[in-house]
Amino acid sequence: NLDLLVEQIDTNGSRLGTAFYPNGLERSDTINNAERIRIQTKDKERYRVSVTAQNLGFDVQKYSLVVTGCIKEDKIESTKSGVDSTDYSMIETLFAGGMQQSGNMVDIRALNDIKILSFNVHTSVSHGFVDVEFYTKEGSHQGFETDKSAWTFLGTAIVKARGNGIPTIIPPGSFNQDIEVKKGETRAFYITMDRKKLRYTPVNKAVGDVYKSNADLEVLVGVACKNNFGPIWERRVLNAQIVYEVDSSIPLPSIAEYPSSPPTVSPTPVPTDSPTTYMHMLLKKLVGGEAVYTFDDDSV
């Protein structure tokens, strides 16, 4: 079952107002495999379209997405595409739970040059959508847990909650910038929700000890931290799957691989009597998908 969600967002990717659900509902549609959302838009508004999945019978599910309306440019301004999880590497801490709070901080130490793409988190929320915020900083979180000025905001992901014991998927591309961690460096992450539903596990290790590792990175014991950089509880391990890629595995294309000339088709310069309709058909592999569109005029 795939779930469609549309949100109005600001230029930083944060949600404005309420979310729009499909087929006239005020919640996700868990019955129909064809879903439609119609909204009245205004000039310069930005919208995020998300597709998430639950109860899949296969590891990969293809789907199509159609967007119509008066769109400013004949392109997607930013695309956050779902991909087959086998395209990336992943390390899982654990999903034992035990305790929960509204936030958790974790340090990651790189053993190779890597790029952190997302965290599939553990929440006790079992239905509907949840807002998950991400922050990061160079170096460890230790000593900076309550210092918001030391952290960089990475964005908010609104995703389908999957409940206890099951990873809630945060699609790669949900961060507003690439997070590269060079070999030997440590980088801290703060993952937070607006409610005390983010699960973690207390351990008999000190903060900063290695809890889990592989050939590319080490995940260190961290702290629980109330949302908005509140008080902390030490010796906690974030329940998560950390999705990443090794930089050396991403070859850069040579100049010859780029088009020799720009495309000849350009957007309609001004609206016509009939709204220009732009249909973007996507076939994506699933972990999830997201796209951001800017509307040029009032449209439906």
Side-chain angles (χ1 to χ4, degrees), residues 58-300:
F58 304 93
D59 291 336
V60 175
Q61 173 67 58
K62 293 182 178 181
Y63 65 91
S64 296
L65 175 65
V66 180
V67 177
T68 65
C70 296
I71 297 175
K72 180 178 180 180
E73 295 179 336
D74 193 9
K75 68 177 183 179
I76 299 177
E77 292 192 351
S78 73
T79 302
K80 300 177 179 180
S81 302
V83 293
D84 187 343
S85 59
T86 58
D87 291 346
Y88 299 130
S89 299
M90 184 170 64
I91 183 171
E92 180 177 310
T93 55
L94 75 169
F95 278 75
M99 304 185 77
Q100 59 186 11
Q101 186 46 255
S102 53
N104 201 281
M105 291 183 178
V106 61
D107 288 348
I108 294 177
R109 183 184 298 138
L111 304 179
N112 284 308
D113 292 349
I114 60 175
K115 184 184 295 182
I116 304 297
L117 302 175
S118 72
F119 291 78
N120 299 329
V121 299
H122 190 191
T123 176
S124 57
V125 180
S126 58
H127 63 278
F129 289 81
V130 291
D131 293 23
V132 186
E133 291 187 350
F134 295 89
Y135 297 81
T136 189
K137 69 173 295 292
E138 294 182 357
S140 174
H141 64 77
Q142 295 189 63
F144 298 92
E145 290 88 350
T146 59
D147 183 4
K148 186 175 182 178
S149 65
W151 296 79
T152 299
F153 179 61
L154 292 178
T156 302
I158 298 92
V159 294
K160 179 70 175 179
R162 301 181 71 185
N164 288 320
I166 304 173
T168 289
I169 303 300
I170 309 294
S174 294
F175 299 159
N176 58 27
Q177 59 182 276
D178 292 338
I179 305 300
E180 297 180 352
V181 190
K182 299 299 183 182
K183 181 178 180 179
E185 293 181 350
T186 297
R187 178 167 283 272
F189 292 88
Y190 177 34
I191 303 170
T192 181
M193 298 172 58
D194 59 357
R195 43 188 150 170
K196 298 179 181 179
K197 298 293 184 179
L198 188 65
R199 307 219 67 182
Y200 56 85
T201 302
V203 294
N204 191 26
K205 288 188 174 186
V207 175
D209 285 354
V210 176
Y211 179 78
K212 191 74 173 286
S213 65
N214 61 17
D216 299 317
L217 60 87
E218 296 174 334
V219 183
L220 310 185
V221 176
V223 301
C225 183
K226 191 176 180 180
N227 70 325
N228 201 27
F229 300 88
I232 66 170
W233 295 264
E234 295 188 344
R235 299 190 299 173
R236 305 295 193 256
V237 174
L238 173 70
N239 287 192
Q241 295 171 333
I242 302 166
V243 183
Y244 69 97
E245 60 187 5
V246 180
D247 275 358
S248 60
S249 67
I250 312 170
L252 293 176
S254 64
I255 295 177
E257 291 178 65
Y258 290 100
S260 56
S261 60
T264 57
V265 178
S266 60
T268 304
V270 294
T272 59
D273 292 337
S274 299
T276 302
T277 298
Y278 173 66
M279 301 183 69
H280 184 74
M281 299 293 295
L282 296 176
L283 275 179
K284 299 177 182 176
K285 291 184 177 179
L286 193 69
V287 168
E290 182 179 289
V292 177
Y293 302 88
T294 300
F295 288 86
D296 189 35
D297 199 354
D298 294 353
S299 60
V300 176

Side-chain angles (χ1 to χ4, degrees), residues 19-40:
F20 300 92
Y21 293 95
N23 302 338
L25 301 176
E26 295 182 355
R27 54 173 175 77
S28 57
D29 189 334
T30 60
I31 299 176
N32 297 295
N33 59 9
E35 300 183 358
R36 182 179 71 169
I37 297 175
R38 299 187 68 189
I39 56 176
Q40 189 73 34

